[in-house]
Amino acid sequence: SQTIHQWPATLVQPVGSPLSLECTVEGTSNPNLYWYRQAAGRGLQLLFYSVGIGQISSEVPQNLSASRPQDRQFILSSKKLLLSDSGFYLCAWREETGDGYTFGSGTRLTVV
Amino acid sequence: GQQVMQIPQYQHVQEGEDFTTYCNSSTTLSNIQWYKQRPGGHPVFLIQLVKSGEVKKQKRLTFQFGEAKKNSSLHITATQTTDVGTYFCAGDGDYKLSFGAGTTVTVRA
């Protein structure tokens, strides 16, 4: 069966520090992978998506970047965090367009 | 780009009552999906509607897709405390979903 792992669950980082959030999927090949951010009490904002290794599409220009070094690994990064980067970061996958998303359990990031 | 609007933003419901949340798109959708996010949790896929006018039921939840495939609704009957959470609709586009802002449901016992 397919599973998705996302860590850490919570993170408190100072302004200006780097960030690396990792997401891995098991039990599937060549999934579509997604990073979303959710501000407190708000909807889901798509940040990046990837349809294959090394293929990254950015939806919102901002202080973040994403990489997909392996088929089932998706990484969200920042060189210098801003206060506005605080939020709930969710990784998601699906096998192909038309399927439902499976979300990871998320990372709550607080930038202080 | 594709935009999905969802109303109401908040729904306060007496336990046992019914309510409906609505989703409207600015463009025709190939399909629409619904998700539920419990407080403190992550969104969980509920259902997908593909056909014009489609209606699907999951126990007390009834999902509808409009004839023009531009709107959808979720109707919950006999609300229970387990229905608490935020319900999102999402329109499917090229490779990615566009989520509505969600309807956050609270239940008065």
Side-chain angles (χ1 to χ4, degrees):
Chain A
S1 63
Q2 302 96 342
T3 56
I4 180 168
H5 302 279
Q6 191 179 343
W7 67 91
T10 59
L11 193 58
V12 179
Q13 292 283 102
V15 168
S17 64
L19 173 74
S20 180
L21 300 180
E22 187 165 344
C23 173
T24 59
V25 182
E26 296 178 358
T28 185
S29 298
N30 197 32
N32 293 345
L33 296 172
Y34 306 85
W35 278 111
Y36 281 85
R37 179 171 62 198
Q38 186 176 35
R42 303 291 296 277
L44 296 161
Q45 179 188 33
L46 178 63
L47 302 176
F48 302 94
Y49 69 95
S50 171
V51 299
I53 296 174
Q55 299 179 58
I56 307 295
S57 296
S58 174
E59 289 293 299
V60 182
Q62 54 196 313
N63 186 38
L64 301 168
S65 62
S67 62
R68 185 170 177 174
Q70 301 181 45
D71 181 42
R72 288 169 285 181
Q73 184 184 31
F74 205 22
I75 298 172
L76 182 69
S77 304
S78 175
K79 292 183 179 178
K80 289 185 178 181
L81 284 169
L82 306 172
L83 288 174
S84 57
D85 292 323
S86 294
F88 189 36
Y89 288 82
L90 290 155
C91 179
W93 78 275
R94 64 178 175 180
E95 287 200 0
E96 56 187 53
T97 299
D99 294 343
Y101 281 10
T102 298
F103 283 89
S105 53
T107 296
R108 297 193 185 279
L109 171 67
T110 304
V111 182
V112 297
Chain B
Q2 184 174 275
Q3 287 193 338
V4 177
M5 308 298 291
Q6 201 170 345
I7 54 171
Q9 185 176 0
Y10 298 99
Q11 185 81 52
H12 308 290
V13 189
Q14 180 71 41
E15 189 174 17
E17 291 184 343
D18 304 350
F19 75 91
T20 303
T21 175
Y22 300 90
C23 184
N24 296 292
S25 170
S26 56
T27 60
T28 301
L29 302 169
S30 58
N31 66 69
I32 195 157
Q33 299 179 7
W34 285 88
Y35 293 76
K36 178 182 178 181
Q37 184 177 23
R38 294 182 184 276
H42 58 275
V44 175
F45 175 69
L46 293 177
I47 207 162
Q48 176 175 265
L49 304 171
V50 179
K51 299 177 182 177
S52 170
E54 188 170 14
V55 178
K56 287 188 176 180
K57 289 190 175 184
Q58 288 181 349
K59 297 182 180 178
R60 294 177 295 103
L61 278 61
T62 301
F63 303 84
Q64 287 190 308
F65 202 8
E67 293 292 339
K69 300 183 74 172
K70 283 188 163 184
N71 56 74
S72 181
S73 65
L74 161 59
H75 181 76
I76 298 182
T77 58
T79 303
Q80 300 177 359
T81 55
T82 54
D83 296 323
V84 164
T86 301
Y87 294 84
F88 294 98
C89 63
D92 210 347
D94 292 336
Y95 299 114
K96 60 189 186 288
L97 294 174
S98 295
F99 282 84
T103 294
T104 297
V105 177
T106 54
V107 179
R108 299 189 300 273

